[in-house]
Amino acid sequence: MESNILLINCPDESGLVFKVTGILYKKYNLNIIRNGEFVERNFNHFFMRTEFSGTFDKEELLKDLYEVLPEGVEIKLTGKRKKDIVLLATKEHHCLSDLLIRHAFNELNANILCVISNYDVLEDLTRKFDVPFHFISHEGMSREVHEAAVLNTVQQYNPEVIVLAKYMRILSGDFVSHFTNRIINIHHSFLPAFIGANPYAQAYERGVKIIGATAHFVNIELDQGPIIAQSVIPVDHTHSSREMAQAGRDVEKNVLAKSLKLVLNEQVFVYRNKTVLFE
Amino acid sequence: MESNILLINCPDESGLVFKVTGILYKKYNLNIIRNGEFVERNFNHFFMRTEFSGTFDKEELLKDLYEVLPEGVEIKLTGKRKKDIVLLATKEHHCLSDLLIRHAFNELNANILCVISNYDVLEDLTRKFDVPFHFISHEGMSREVHEAAVLNTVQQYNPEVIVLAKYMRILSGDFVSHFTNRIINIHHSFLPAFIGANPYAQAYERGVKIIGATAHFVNIELDQGPIIAQSVIPVDHTHSSREMAQAGRDVEKNVLAKSLKLVLNEQVFVYRNKTVLFE
Amino acid sequence: MESNILLINCPDESGLVFKVTGILYKKYNLNIIRNGEFVERNFNHFFMRTEFSGTFDKEELLKDLYEVLPEGVEIKLTGKRKKDIVLLATKEHHCLSDLLIRHAFNELNANILCVISNYDVLEDLTRKFDVPFHFISHEGMSREVHEAAVLNTVQQYNPEVIVLAKYMRILSGDFVSHFTNRIINIHHSFLPAFIGANPYAQAYERGVKIIGATAHFVNIELDQGPIIAQSVIPVDHTHSSREMAQAGRDVEKNVLAKSLKLVLNEQVFVYRNKTVLFE
Amino acid sequence: MESNILLINCPDESGLVFKVTGILYKKYNLNIIRNGEFVERNFNHFFMRTEFSGTFDKEELLKDLYEVLPEGVEIKLTGKRKKDIVLLATKEHHCLSDLLIRHAFNELNANILCVISNYDVLEDLTRKFDVPFHFISHEGMSREVHEAAVLNTVQQYNPEVIVLAKYMRILSGDFVSHFTNRIINIHHSFLPAFIGANPYAQAYERGVKIIGATAHFVNIELDQGPIIAQSVIPVDHTHSSREMAQAGRDVEKNVLAKSLKLVLNEQVFVYRNKTVLFE
């Protein structure tokens, strides 16, 4: 039997768990597989994620939930199924390779619909895995025109999630606004340190002893979106800036894969520019 | 208002969360502060930990819970308060120092009633912090007689938890059986590697690149009790066996402090010789 | 100008660094790029690794070194160049994929001559990257006959290093003896914990809070060879044995890649069943 | 026999190791215990650290070294002995406790001459360990007058190293200039993220998934001095700002202890606002 995921967030009040489990268990006799709750204490906001199986009418269940839950509640009810995703890349292969391999071996809970890049460097790699590749060069184009072309291609695929797998171009607020909390970026630094360009050069210059990578949703403000996952590795004075970048690549791909998995499995809430994770 | 902790574990069945939250919310109008559930899937066993505040009659609440919950349920209902603990040590100070300092600055959710040791090396340290110290030498005594003396002293204090803060003597099954899942030991190795004596010498001999420490409840079988927490640090060929031991000390004290905190805060279930943690 | 790597190990005595640098600098006027020494203190054994560039006659340089260094010295002098390697695999793809991708993008300091497997599962993947694939099924064959067939194929390629990229068959002492300290295995456990089969099932059963992977040279004694690299990740009670295995895969491929890099760059000495690393 | 430490840094050129080991071995017949070199490739700068034992005239040895080494060389020759240090603290005890305990058990290669604080909160703790405590309140004083009083007290002890063990006042350039690369600070953040006040509040606000601590030498520019050591721990959405701070304390004390050990053992070079470590 297919399992379902129910995501609820609303202002906290007494009895929310009782009310929701009451509907699922008493009224619909659904089988709860996994259940988690969290209350954010600064703003008293309630989050609940429930996986369940059983037969039900979606519209009716939602109606029942809205009835007992407080005003302003957000409810998402979705089947546990593969999501459609599109990958954007530039020249570096490590994040793209990693996702293509996982996809090829059915380890990614997603269908990669296509790869879009402003260079053709990764076309061969992508085609090896029978994934469509769109080369949309930015050369000789204004930023706006190029982005419009990319947006147009993306929209033909109608993806649920967009992954910036080392896509090295800045997206406009307009682009981002089409996919709120649905674009995942991997930033090659331990945000909020080294915001902006060349973080490894900055890290080298500063003489840090640890470098890291950050996967986050993309917001209008560059590098400021909700952080999903971070990871680090030790470095030392023997690492050149280039060696730091090399060492950082494995961390980048692991963090991106981890955060994408969380998003695909509906384990991520976004609230006030932060994430609440049900791991 | 004091808060309370409710721990429930029982065979899983439908509606458990609904039933428990129903009693807490509907019947007693208690305020749930934090709630967590886990279902172990191999044996379909249900675990629930709830923190709540409000007024209630303990006997009545327990009666109501037993009524709706399946046979074989274990329920623990306790106030969120400092627990009484006793520390056993031998000669090494690092774990004892760490706990005495945290205790002195009110960072340990416990009253350290006394320290018992088979050497007097740590007496000065202990007395600095105004904690009673019992020196019970094992010299010239049989293992049984010495242990009986230690047990006798422990029992005078009636502790809820006993911490083996680098107590280097093996406890008998009889001793252990007085305090089931209430004795915490820090093992100076990444169990189950290097079981037994001199784990750092073993680790050095084997040429490992990582060493660790394990905090666990003490069972009748040496080093085989339920693991509460583990941590590791990297080492390399430049570390002698003694340097590995030195490096391991910081890990040991951190892991012991972490696991003790989990136990004192009632975040640990023991089930089939493993722990289920609500962190 | 090509750079060279000089590896020396011998019983320690005074003046070794002076003598070696004297030959390189005074007699041959070579340019030392990077230099490291280590003295193992238990057995007073000296290790030195030097990268240098410049013109010299190899036979003569070696002769000069042997002349001033103590009896029993082992000297290896090699160009800094790509090594020829052969990969053995079974059914799991993650380590193989990782190495093939790095190879394809010229990030591995090696030529992958071929992949040999006792299943054909990974043939498609391997051929995507234009690497020869030899399917040598073990079905209906004795262990000896199968291994002889594998050995025969390996020897046709004359590799300098053999990588067991999740090759799930045990190699005989005879096979191993052809390639002393030249076969690298990735063991899916944090050795020496969980030696043998199904380490993730063992780890799950024991309720550990950390799992890991170990890359080591293959010895006649199974899982007992010199450890090159280890790494770990945290797990908890929510991980099933299968989920531990999944989580372990990323660690495995990273540790294998790291240790292979060390071996390919001649950064690893083996001494008394342990490794001395110049990182 | 006492061992000695020789630290050399100078512009790189051919033959430096040969020349230095020549003097130590050939001329003085000294016994090299441990030796390390590093060449910084951006500016071609050479670093060498040698531990050796044997009899020699210090002035003469230095003269011989200056003779063969390039202009601009910096040479430090020191016995391997306990250094005199002074600790500055404010109200938080965790770093101070940790150092006092290590000192009490002879694990710190230093004599703690005194503790100076702008509060009297930690006086009891300090006196338990028989270390002089100077309470120099800043209340009703200008920053300049208070700092002058602190400086005056520090100078009476003539320490070789000053440790800011959570000293929460900013030191002026004038103060710092008396102790170049001799003041170690622990910054409660993973620099360069969250520079300035309340880093845990900043980290909480940003929703990071990892927090850390940084030990660094103090420079005229706040939080910008050479980094000696860094470490991190994972956090998540369940951590309040206060819980992040609690979690951070163990990291802070460990990183401070580690970096102090490196400094006390003369394992740290400072070059162009970065550190080169011989670990």
Side-chain angles (χ1 to χ4, degrees):
Chain A
M1 203 185 300
E2 205 204 40
S3 78
N4 302 277
I5 299 168
L6 175 65
L7 300 174
I8 293 172
N9 80 85
C10 60
D12 190 32
E13 61 176 43
S14 279
L16 291 173
V17 175
F18 173 70
K19 287 170 183 166
V20 173
T21 55
I23 290 172
L24 297 177
Y25 164 65
K26 285 283 273 195
K27 174 142 189 201
Y28 288 89
N29 202 25
L30 299 166
N31 181 32
I32 295 177
I33 296 161
R34 196 171 169 176
N35 195 45
E37 310 104 41
F38 172 68
V39 177
E40 204 279 337
R41 282 295 161 206
N42 273 15
F43 299 95
N44 279 314
H45 203 81
F46 174 84
F47 301 86
M48 183 169 181
R49 182 187 184 279
T50 304
E51 279 186 46
F52 64 91
S53 60
T55 322
F56 63 98
D57 180 281
K58 188 174 172 179
E59 293 314 306
E60 205 159 329
L61 177 56
L62 285 173
K63 195 166 145 277
D64 286 336
L65 288 168
Y66 279 114
E67 216 152 82
V68 301
L69 291 170
E71 210 167 322
V73 68
E74 288 178 6
I75 303 178
K76 183 173 186 179
L77 178 53
T78 173
K80 202 174 176 178
R81 54 164 180 72
K82 288 199 176 186
K83 291 203 163 48
D84 291 335
I85 70 175
V86 159
L87 311 184
L88 272 63
T90 293
K91 282 177 174 176
E92 286 175 275
H93 79 89
H94 57 285
C95 287
L96 182 63
S97 306
D98 187 66
L99 297 178
L100 288 172
I101 286 277
R102 291 178 197 265
H103 184 245
F105 284 92
N106 208 17
E107 291 166 10
L108 208 62
N109 198 16
N111 306 307
I112 299 180
L113 304 179
C114 76
V115 172
I116 301 170
S117 177
N118 55 324
Y119 285 89
D120 61 0
V121 176
L122 302 170
E123 177 154 11
D124 267 11
L125 172 75
T126 304
R127 296 212 185 280
K128 276 190 210 306
F129 293 96
D130 301 319
V131 170
F133 183 90
H134 297 273
F135 169 34
I136 306 178
S137 174
H138 61 278
E139 283 193 42
M141 275 188 196
S142 72
R143 177 169 299 279
E144 289 71 25
V145 171
H146 180 257
E147 192 180 272
V150 172
L151 178 59
N152 185 44
T153 307
V154 169
Q155 284 177 327
Q156 285 169 30
Y157 286 98
N158 194 27
E160 297 171 271
V161 175
I162 298 169
V163 180
L164 308 185
K166 305 292 292 175
Y167 183 63
M168 302 312 279
R169 294 183 59 86
I170 295 167
L171 297 172
S172 73
D174 178 61
F175 188 105
V176 171
S177 67
H178 285 83
F179 311 97
T180 306
N181 295 332
R182 288 163 52 203
I183 308 176
I184 304 174
N185 184 42
I186 178 69
H187 191 277
H188 42 321
S189 129
F190 184 64
L191 291 175
F194 310 127
I195 292 174
N198 278 328
Y200 291 118
Q202 289 182 56
Y204 172 78
E205 197 55 44
R206 182 65 187 89
V208 294
K209 303 301 186 187
I210 293 176
I211 57 171
T214 302
H216 62 96
F217 287 117
V218 177
N219 255 359
I220 292 168
E221 272 183 90
L222 184 65
D223 300 347
Q224 298 290 325
I227 293 171
I228 307 167
Q230 299 190 292
S231 188
V232 295
I233 44 164
V235 291
D236 62 30
H237 61 272
T238 65
H239 288 75
S240 66
S241 164
R242 203 175 57 88
E243 286 167 331
M244 284 190 184
Q246 282 176 334
R249 273 184 216 137
D250 285 346
V251 178
E252 289 173 16
K253 75 185 185 199
N254 291 342
V255 169
L256 180 58
K258 184 191 168 185
S259 68
L260 180 57
K261 190 180 169 193
L262 289 167
V263 170
L264 293 173
N265 291 342
E266 299 285 0
Q267 296 174 274
V268 185
F269 286 89
V270 172
Y271 179 66
R272 293 182 160 258
N273 207 41
K274 297 197 263 191
T275 59
V276 169
L277 306 179
F278 286 85
E279 287 179 271
Chain B
M1 203 184 301
E2 204 202 38
S3 79
N4 301 276
I5 299 169
L6 175 66
L7 299 174
I8 292 171
N9 80 85
C10 60
D12 190 32
E13 60 176 44
S14 280
L16 291 173
V17 176
F18 173 72
K19 287 169 183 167
V20 173
T21 55
I23 290 173
L24 297 177
Y25 163 67
K26 285 285 272 195
K27 174 143 186 198
Y28 289 88
N29 200 25
L30 298 167
N31 180 33
I32 294 177
I33 296 162
R34 197 170 167 175
N35 195 44
E37 308 103 43
F38 172 68
V39 178
E40 203 279 337
R41 284 293 161 208
N42 272 16
F43 299 95
N44 279 314
H45 203 81
F46 173 83
F47 301 85
M48 182 171 182
R49 182 187 183 279
T50 304
E51 280 185 45
F52 63 90
S53 60
T55 323
F56 63 97
D57 179 282
K58 187 173 173 178
E59 293 314 305
E60 207 160 326
L61 176 57
L62 285 173
K63 195 168 145 275
D64 286 336
L65 288 167
Y66 278 115
E67 218 153 81
V68 301
L69 292 170
E71 212 167 322
V73 68
E74 288 178 5
I75 304 178
K76 184 174 185 179
L77 177 54
T78 174
K80 201 176 178 178
R81 55 167 177 71
K82 287 197 176 187
K83 288 205 166 47
D84 291 334
I85 69 175
V86 159
L87 311 184
L88 273 63
T90 293
K91 282 178 174 174
E92 286 175 275
H93 78 87
H94 56 285
C95 287
L96 182 63
S97 306
D98 187 66
L99 297 178
L100 288 172
I101 287 277
R102 290 178 198 264
H103 184 244
F105 284 93
N106 209 15
E107 291 167 9
L108 208 62
N109 196 17
N111 306 306
I112 299 180
L113 304 178
C114 75
V115 172
I116 301 170
S117 178
N118 55 326
Y119 285 90
D120 61 0
V121 176
L122 302 171
E123 178 155 9
D124 268 11
L125 172 75
T126 305
R127 295 212 185 281
K128 275 191 213 303
F129 292 96
D130 301 318
V131 171
F133 183 90
H134 297 274
F135 168 33
I136 307 177
S137 174
H138 61 278
E139 284 194 40
M141 276 188 195
S142 73
R143 176 169 298 278
E144 289 71 27
V145 172
H146 180 258
E147 192 180 272
V150 172
L151 179 59
N152 185 43
T153 306
V154 169
Q155 285 177 326
Q156 286 169 31
Y157 286 97
N158 195 26
E160 298 171 88
V161 174
I162 297 169
V163 181
L164 307 185
K166 304 293 290 175
Y167 184 64
M168 303 311 279
R169 293 182 62 84
I170 294 167
L171 297 172
S172 73
D174 178 62
F175 187 106
V176 170
S177 67
H178 287 83
F179 311 97
T180 306
N181 295 333
R182 288 163 51 201
I183 307 176
I184 303 173
N185 184 43
I186 179 70
H187 193 278
H188 42 318
S189 129
F190 185 65
L191 292 176
F194 310 128
I195 291 174
N198 279 328
Y200 291 117
Q202 290 182 58
Y204 172 78
E205 197 55 44
R206 182 65 186 88
V208 294
K209 302 302 185 187
I210 292 177
I211 58 171
T214 302
H216 62 96
F217 287 117
V218 177
N219 255 359
I220 292 168
E221 271 185 273
L222 184 64
D223 302 345
Q224 298 289 324
I227 293 170
I228 308 167
Q230 299 190 293
S231 188
V232 295
I233 44 164
V235 290
D236 62 30
H237 61 273
T238 66
H239 287 76
S240 66
S241 166
R242 203 175 56 87
E243 287 167 331
M244 283 189 183
Q246 282 175 335
R249 274 185 216 136
D250 285 345
V251 178
E252 289 174 17
K253 74 185 186 199
N254 291 341
V255 169
L256 180 58
K258 184 191 169 186
S259 69
L260 180 57
K261 190 181 169 193
L262 289 167
V263 171
L264 294 173
N265 292 342
E266 299 286 1
Q267 296 174 275
V268 185
F269 287 88
V270 172
Y271 180 68
R272 295 181 160 258
N273 208 41
K274 296 197 262 190
T275 59
V276 170
L277 306 179
F278 286 85
E279 287 180 272
Chain C
M1 204 185 300
E2 205 202 40
S3 77
N4 302 278
I5 299 169
L6 174 66
L7 299 173
I8 293 171
N9 80 86
C10 60
D12 190 32
E13 61 176 43
S14 280
L16 291 172
V17 176
F18 173 71
K19 286 169 183 166
V20 174
T21 54
I23 291 172
L24 297 177
Y25 164 66
K26 287 282 275 195
K27 174 144 186 198
Y28 288 88
N29 201 24
L30 298 167
N31 180 34
I32 295 177
I33 296 162
R34 196 170 169 175
N35 195 44
E37 309 104 41
F38 172 67
V39 178
E40 204 279 337
R41 283 295 160 207
N42 273 15
F43 299 95
N44 279 314
H45 203 80
F46 174 84
F47 301 85
M48 183 170 181
R49 181 187 185 278
T50 305
E51 280 186 45
F52 63 91
S53 59
T55 322
F56 63 97
D57 180 282
K58 187 173 173 178
E59 293 314 305
E60 206 160 327
L61 176 57
L62 285 173
K63 195 167 147 275
D64 287 336
L65 289 168
Y66 278 115
E67 217 152 80
V68 300
L69 292 170
E71 212 168 322
V73 68
E74 288 179 8
I75 303 177
K76 184 174 186 180
L77 177 54
T78 173
K80 201 174 177 179
R81 54 164 180 72
K82 287 199 177 187
K83 289 204 166 46
D84 290 334
I85 70 175
V86 158
L87 312 184
L88 272 63
T90 293
K91 282 178 174 175
E92 287 175 274
H93 78 88
H94 55 286
C95 287
L96 182 63
S97 307
D98 187 66
L99 297 178
L100 288 172
I101 286 277
R102 290 177 198 264
H103 185 245
F105 284 92
N106 208 16
E107 291 166 9
L108 208 62
N109 197 15
N111 307 307
I112 299 180
L113 304 179
C114 77
V115 172
I116 302 170
S117 177
N118 55 325
Y119 285 89
D120 61 0
V121 178
L122 301 171
E123 177 154 10
D124 269 11
L125 172 75
T126 304
R127 296 212 184 280
K128 275 190 211 306
F129 293 96
D130 301 318
V131 170
F133 183 90
H134 297 274
F135 168 35
I136 306 177
S137 175
H138 61 278
E139 283 193 43
M141 276 188 195
S142 73
R143 177 169 297 278
E144 289 71 27
V145 172
H146 180 256
E147 192 181 273
V150 172
L151 179 59
N152 185 44
T153 306
V154 169
Q155 285 177 325
Q156 286 169 30
Y157 286 97
N158 194 26
E160 298 171 88
V161 175
I162 297 170
V163 180
L164 308 185
K166 305 291 291 177
Y167 183 63
M168 304 311 279
R169 294 182 62 83
I170 295 166
L171 297 172
S172 73
D174 178 60
F175 187 105
V176 171
S177 68
H178 287 83
F179 311 97
T180 306
N181 295 332
R182 288 163 51 202
I183 307 176
I184 303 174
N185 184 42
I186 179 70
H187 191 277
H188 42 322
S189 129
F190 184 64
L191 291 175
F194 310 127
I195 291 173
N198 278 327
Y200 291 116
Q202 290 182 57
Y204 172 78
E205 197 54 44
R206 182 65 187 87
V208 295
K209 303 301 185 187
I210 293 176
I211 57 171
T214 302
H216 62 96
F217 287 116
V218 177
N219 256 358
I220 292 169
E221 271 184 272
L222 185 64
D223 301 346
Q224 298 290 324
I227 294 171
I228 307 167
Q230 300 190 291
S231 187
V232 295
I233 44 164
V235 291
D236 62 30
H237 61 272
T238 65
H239 287 76
S240 66
S241 165
R242 204 175 56 88
E243 287 167 330
M244 282 190 185
Q246 282 175 335
R249 273 184 216 137
D250 285 346
V251 179
E252 289 173 17
K253 74 185 186 199
N254 290 341
V255 169
L256 180 57
K258 183 190 169 185
S259 67
L260 180 56
K261 189 180 170 193
L262 289 167
V263 171
L264 294 173
N265 291 342
E266 300 286 359
Q267 297 174 274
V268 185
F269 286 89
V270 172
Y271 179 67
R272 294 179 160 261
N273 208 41
K274 296 197 261 190
T275 58
V276 169
L277 307 179
F278 286 84
E279 287 179 271
Chain D
M1 203 185 300
E2 205 204 39
S3 79
N4 301 277
I5 299 169
L6 174 67
L7 300 174
I8 292 171
N9 80 84
C10 58
D12 189 32
E13 60 175 43
S14 279
L16 291 173
V17 175
F18 174 70
K19 286 169 184 168
V20 173
T21 55
I23 290 172
L24 298 177
Y25 164 66
K26 284 284 271 196
K27 172 141 187 199
Y28 289 87
N29 200 25
L30 299 167
N31 180 34
I32 294 177
I33 296 162
R34 198 170 168 175
N35 196 44
E37 308 104 42
F38 171 68
V39 177
E40 204 279 337
R41 282 296 160 208
N42 272 16
F43 299 95
N44 280 315
H45 203 81
F46 173 83
F47 301 86
M48 181 170 184
R49 182 187 183 278
T50 304
E51 280 185 46
F52 63 91
S53 60
T55 323
F56 63 98
D57 180 281
K58 188 173 172 179
E59 293 315 305
E60 207 160 326
L61 176 57
L62 286 173
K63 195 167 145 277
D64 287 337
L65 288 168
Y66 279 115
E67 218 152 81
V68 300
L69 291 170
E71 212 167 322
V73 67
E74 288 178 5
I75 304 178
K76 184 173 185 179
L77 177 54
T78 173
K80 202 175 177 177
R81 54 166 179 72
K82 287 199 177 186
K83 289 205 165 49
D84 291 334
I85 69 174
V86 159
L87 312 183
L88 273 62
T90 293
K91 282 176 173 176
E92 286 175 274
H93 78 87
H94 55 285
C95 287
L96 182 63
S97 306
D98 187 66
L99 297 178
L100 288 171
I101 287 277
R102 291 178 198 263
H103 185 244
F105 284 92
N106 209 16
E107 291 167 10
L108 207 62
N109 197 17
N111 306 306
I112 300 181
L113 304 179
C114 76
V115 172
I116 301 170
S117 177
N118 54 326
Y119 285 89
D120 61 0
V121 177
L122 301 170
E123 176 153 12
D124 268 11
L125 172 75
T126 304
R127 296 211 184 280
K128 275 190 212 303
F129 292 96
D130 301 319
V131 170
F133 183 90
H134 298 274
F135 168 35
I136 306 178
S137 174
H138 61 279
E139 284 194 39
M141 275 188 197
S142 73
R143 178 169 297 279
E144 289 72 25
V145 172
H146 180 258
E147 192 181 271
V150 172
L151 179 59
N152 185 43
T153 307
V154 168
Q155 285 178 326
Q156 286 169 31
Y157 286 97
N158 194 25
E160 297 171 270
V161 175
I162 297 170
V163 180
L164 308 185
K166 304 293 290 175
Y167 183 63
M168 303 311 279
R169 294 182 61 84
I170 294 166
L171 296 172
S172 73
D174 178 61
F175 188 106
V176 171
S177 66
H178 287 82
F179 310 98
T180 305
N181 294 333
R182 288 162 53 201
I183 307 176
I184 303 173
N185 184 43
I186 178 69
H187 192 277
H188 42 319
S189 128
F190 185 65
L191 292 174
F194 309 128
I195 291 174
N198 279 326
Y200 291 117
Q202 291 182 56
Y204 172 78
E205 197 54 43
R206 182 64 186 89
V208 294
K209 302 302 186 188
I210 292 177
I211 57 170
T214 302
H216 63 96
F217 287 116
V218 177
N219 256 0
I220 292 169
E221 272 185 89
L222 184 65
D223 300 346
Q224 298 289 325
I227 294 171
I228 308 167
Q230 299 190 292
S231 188
V232 295
I233 45 164
V235 291
D236 62 28
H237 61 273
T238 66
H239 288 75
S240 65
S241 164
R242 204 175 56 88
E243 287 167 330
M244 283 189 184
Q246 281 175 336
R249 273 185 216 137
D250 285 347
V251 178
E252 290 174 16
K253 75 185 186 199
N254 291 341
V255 169
L256 180 58
K258 183 191 169 187
S259 68
L260 180 57
K261 190 181 169 193
L262 289 167
V263 171
L264 294 173
N265 292 342
E266 300 285 1
Q267 297 174 274
V268 184
F269 286 87
V270 172
Y271 180 68
R272 294 181 161 258
N273 208 41
K274 297 197 260 190
T275 59
V276 169
L277 306 179
F278 286 85
E279 287 181 271

